[in-house]
Amino acid sequence: MDDLKLLSELRADAPEPDADRLRALRARSLRHRRRFRPVLSLPMAMTAAVAVVAAVVVVVNDDERPVVPPSVIVEATPVSAKAMLRKAALTAEKRRPESTPLRPDQWLYRKSVVTQPADGSTEVQEYWTRYDGTEQATRLGSRPMETRTIEPDPGDDDLSPQQYAARLAKLPTDPDKLLEHVKGDLHWRDKPDEERGLHEHPDARAFRVLSLYLGREEYMPPKLEAAIFRALARIPGVRVDLGIRDAAGRSGMGIAYEAGSPGFGTQRDENGQVIERSYVILDSTTYRHLGTRTDYLRDYLINGEVAFPKGSVFATAEVASGVVDEPGQIP
């Protein structure tokens, strides 16, 4: 994304983020989601707001019943992370295998809801990604569908969905071996942070990468998903809260990295007070991935100006997915 173009579209009176702040916001918003994942409307996310987030009603389900996305910080119920993640693992390993594309020219469909923290606006986003990674189509809100060709970049370490599925299939299903692998997996290293002399703690990288795996659209082998939950339970500083709502208003189990790290996890001020907490949200019964959420417990400042007031929420919700033969089709 062209950050200079992005900044030019912001309101003239909005505080202008520098390059480091742009990177941090992008990292926090989608947990370093890569090319083949749904993308935030970043100009909306980074426009400074002066009002408290308001609830917006959107239609996200097939029977057109409206749901209300989160508009205020919820009262979470802390529970034992190890116990809940153990239950999630036992449930995941009993899942039946899901359908996967049979040909590289098929498409992965994904429908998401995104709530922006600046003004509380909510948008339905649809994505079709060709399995071999050569094309992607998007339909954002009421705008027409757009299709683009993805040119291969030798210097880019992004993977096509087909390549990513093959990568998932090779990951170890022993939780200790999986943890060891993700802590040292250079494919997921944070290059901008490293260039600035910031080095991610191995536990922080493990949580970040395992969270990415849970949120991918590619087929997740049941044994691997169970191993991910067991590996998360072994990371110090992992927190689990019940009653966390995604962008579609669904209540689930939120997993947070309480230890925090630069640009990721629970953030604290100089006095140790929590100012921002981010969650990966799972269904409390099936333990399937629902979405993500970040609560701003203090005013979030950019260059000394309030960008996201206290009480603001950034949230996503995954509401539909499947395999189709061409963009525009719905499974």
Side-chain angles (χ1 to χ4, degrees):
M1 178 173 291
D2 187 340
D3 287 337
L4 293 178
K5 181 179 178 181
L6 177 68
L7 289 174
S8 69
E9 296 173 349
L10 295 176
R11 290 200 329 257
D13 60 343
E16 183 173 339
D18 58 20
D20 289 342
R21 184 62 68 188
L22 283 169
R23 184 206 59 78
L25 287 173
R26 182 179 288 113
R28 290 175 187 170
S29 65
L30 284 183
R31 301 289 202 286
H32 291 223
R33 289 185 177 184
R34 306 181 74 78
R35 182 199 302 170
F36 300 99
R37 296 302 310 276
V39 180
L40 258 183
S41 175
L42 284 173
M44 182 66 71
M46 289 186 292
T47 300
V50 295
V52 177
V53 173
V56 179
V57 176
V58 297
V59 174
V60 299
N61 44 8
D62 293 336
D63 58 5
E64 298 188 352
R65 287 174 300 172
V67 294
V68 181
S71 60
V72 294
I73 296 173
V74 298
E75 292 186 8
T77 303
V79 293
S80 168
K82 290 185 177 180
M84 293 303 295
L85 290 167
R86 188 182 305 116
K87 289 176 63 177
L90 291 172
T91 301
E93 63 189 1
K94 296 176 182 177
R95 298 197 204 285
R96 293 182 178 180
E98 298 176 350
S99 61
T100 59
L102 300 177
R103 306 185 312 271
D105 64 341
Q106 288 188 298
W107 297 68
L108 292 178
Y109 170 75
R110 189 160 192 163
K111 184 176 183 179
S112 304
V113 180
V114 177
T115 297
Q116 301 288 356
D119 63 355
S121 63
T122 297
E123 182 178 66
V124 176
Q125 303 179 353
E126 294 175 282
Y127 296 82
W128 292 262
T129 304
R130 192 168 140 135
Y131 199 46
D132 62 9
T134 58
E135 294 180 88
Q136 187 175 62
T138 59
R139 184 159 58 205
L140 306 180
S142 59
R143 283 161 280 180
M145 185 179 72
E146 297 182 1
T147 303
R148 68 186 180 96
T149 300
I150 300 175
E151 299 292 339
D153 182 354
D156 196 341
D157 61 359
D158 277 353
L159 302 175
S160 71
Q162 189 174 23
Q163 292 171 323
Y164 199 95
R167 181 183 182 88
L168 286 177
K170 294 179 181 178
L171 288 173
T173 55
D174 176 273
D176 292 319
K177 292 180 179 178
L178 180 61
L179 262 183
E180 182 180 359
H181 175 82
V182 295
K183 286 180 179 180
D185 189 349
L186 296 181
H187 179 83
W188 295 109
R189 69 186 187 276
D190 193 327
K191 295 178 183 178
D193 266 351
E194 291 179 359
E195 291 171 357
R196 296 166 56 228
L198 299 175
H199 297 284
E200 191 174 32
H201 190 281
D203 288 340
R205 174 179 289 184
F207 184 88
R208 179 168 61 85
V209 175
L210 293 174
S211 298
L212 281 166
Y213 288 157
L214 288 175
R216 294 292 304 195
E217 64 264 47
E218 292 81 8
Y219 167 67
M220 172 69 71
K223 288 186 178 180
L224 175 60
E225 188 177 13
I228 289 174
F229 291 136
R230 291 187 172 107
L232 285 169
R234 287 164 164 76
I235 300 176
V238 169
R239 166 188 179 133
V240 170
D241 292 336
L242 299 181
I244 306 302
R245 294 191 179 275
D246 67 8
R250 300 173 299 189
S251 179
M253 181 180 94
I255 309 174
Y257 182 57
E258 195 69 2
S261 65
F264 182 78
T266 299
Q267 303 296 310
R268 292 177 169 80
D269 61 18
E270 62 275 8
N271 299 316
Q273 298 296 312
V274 175
I275 58 176
E276 176 187 331
R277 178 173 284 121
S278 298
Y279 292 98
V280 176
I281 308 173
L282 308 178
D283 185 280
S284 299
T285 302
T286 65
Y287 302 102
R288 290 192 180 276
H289 183 268
L290 293 182
T292 63
R293 179 185 177 108
T294 297
D295 286 317
Y296 294 92
L297 300 150
R298 299 286 187 276
D299 288 349
Y300 187 88
L301 306 180
I302 295 179
N303 294 339
E305 300 289 337
V306 176
F308 311 147
K310 175 182 177 181
S312 297
V313 174
F314 165 77
T316 67
E318 309 299 338
V319 295
S321 62
V323 179
V324 297
D325 288 327
E326 60 184 43
Q329 287 185 341
I330 306 298

